[in-house]
Amino acid sequence: MRRTLTDLFSQALERAVTSGDLPRPDRQVHWKVELPRNPDHGDFATNLALVLGAAVRMPPRRVAEILKAHLEDPEGLVASTEVAGPGFLNVRLDPLAWTRVLAEVEREGADYGRSDVGQGRRVQVEFVSANPTGPLHVGHGRGAAVGDVLARLLEFAGFRVEREYYVNDAGNQMRILGRSVWFRCRELAGEAVTLPEDHYRGEYVRDLAREALGVFGSEWKGWSEQEAVERLGRWAGAKILEGIRDDLEAFGVRFDRWFSERSLHEAGAVEKALRLLEERGEAYRADGALWLRTTTHGDEKDRVLVKRDGSLTYFAADIAYHMDKLARGFDRVVDIWGADHHGYVPRMKASLAALGEDPDRLEVLLVQFVNLLRAGKPVGMSTRAGEFVTLREVVDEVGRDAARFLFLTRSCDAPLDFDLEVAKAQTADNPVFYVQYAHARVSSVFREAAKAGFGRPRAAEADLSRLCVEEERELLKLLYLFPEVVEEAALQREPHRLTFYLQDLAARFHGYYNRHRFLVDDPDLARARLCLAAAVQRVIANGLGILGVDAPDSM
């Protein structure tokens, strides 16, 4: 397992900081290694010095010179490094690296791109965590794809990962669910009722009420309103959660743990957290309520933990939940929330600081909204009104592969247009089809090669120096870059980098396929090109595997 260029530059940065040549950055910096737009600028380029300059308050070109001076390459892969433009570091590799990469892909197979950069550190990824008050919609699907693929990336990069779903099965939303089902039960029993505006109105609530009548018979009629709301809420929440589990399984998402909010209350964990905050002087009582001093830890205002009427806020339970997470010994906990929770991040970090924990142990990714389209026209969604398209409906219509891939075709902090017709199209407009077709095309090449008596040549037996046209060199660079992409996507918590990479690799392969023949009359050249095709196929398969998407041999 070779060290990536990301590793080499990260180590150069650490040496520069340790030696005192650079101050330690005052914040985390996000950088990448990529192919330069102009091949004359080298084989690869990194923007590390550019983004680091602001963090250490130094001119980027000076930072680049220092990093270059501290760069060590014991494997001798880097032929030269130069500082360019405002502070880019351009790298040229030894020509042997290009032939080595095909042997490396062949040797490592399904493990190509895997690394130990995580060094076994424990990371918990908590995602989806939708209230069990209705089916999952497409917005939840995007969060599910981001969380699941991030977990897969982290595992591929050497972290120990646990996936968790936080079940919000306590609080007001469960009471509203119970009342919604209760009203529908009464309606089905012939009573004239008017459902309150803030209650759940989807057809699924009527379905639950019909099922409840079969389960409870006429027993529910003897319950008080409070008992009916409590019992029907619990029962309906459990049924909805069962459906959520089934939908996520169909979407290829699994969890190691389903954590119940109710269990926190029953174990007294919330009261314990509040008591600890008061003992530390971080919580105080005013105006009949209990407040947390979040302003002392960077929040814009103090937050209520217990209201005047004695009821707990959701924030109080969330503090207890994150106390529990950190007590389990995770080095990092990554929460994936909807973009509408952006204001919640500083108060959650402030609560950890108030507990004496390092707030940087919590990372939050915000997932922006999905605009669901059909042939370019919006499809309306409103959870409470019941006018929404469920995740299961989307998966059933376009398939799991298309849904997972398309949810990751933009950074999670940017809104996403998801067109159902594009997702079903078997054309280059459909990104997942385009990538899968590249994998299938290689299989067709090898079926023809077998007929011609070639089979699958091994890299050690081929004259790889015959790969000398520009398209071949660009494909080799991309194959070399794959471990960098996986590592950066994991460390920067940006799974969309992998879909970008696969689309680029597929596009370059299709272009190469359309301009050059594999089974040429020159057997040495044919064998070299078949080795290249095999490596492209393996990397596409590995990338799709991390995404949880199939790599078909025919389409």
Side-chain angles (χ1 to χ4, degrees), residues 33-60:
V33 174
E34 59 187 348
L35 299 180
R37 291 178 182 172
N38 185 345
D40 293 338
H41 294 166
D43 297 321
F44 300 103
T46 178
N47 64 344
L48 173 57
L50 285 168
V51 297
L52 194 60
V56 298
R57 298 176 178 83
M58 291 176 63

Side-chain angles (χ1 to χ4, degrees), residues 189-210:
E191 186 178 343
V193 298
T194 301
L195 191 68
E197 280 297 318
D198 64 345
H199 282 38
Y200 298 104
R201 299 175 172 276
E203 186 60 31
Y204 72 92
V205 180
R206 282 194 173 88
D207 293 339
L208 286 167
R210 290 188 189 95

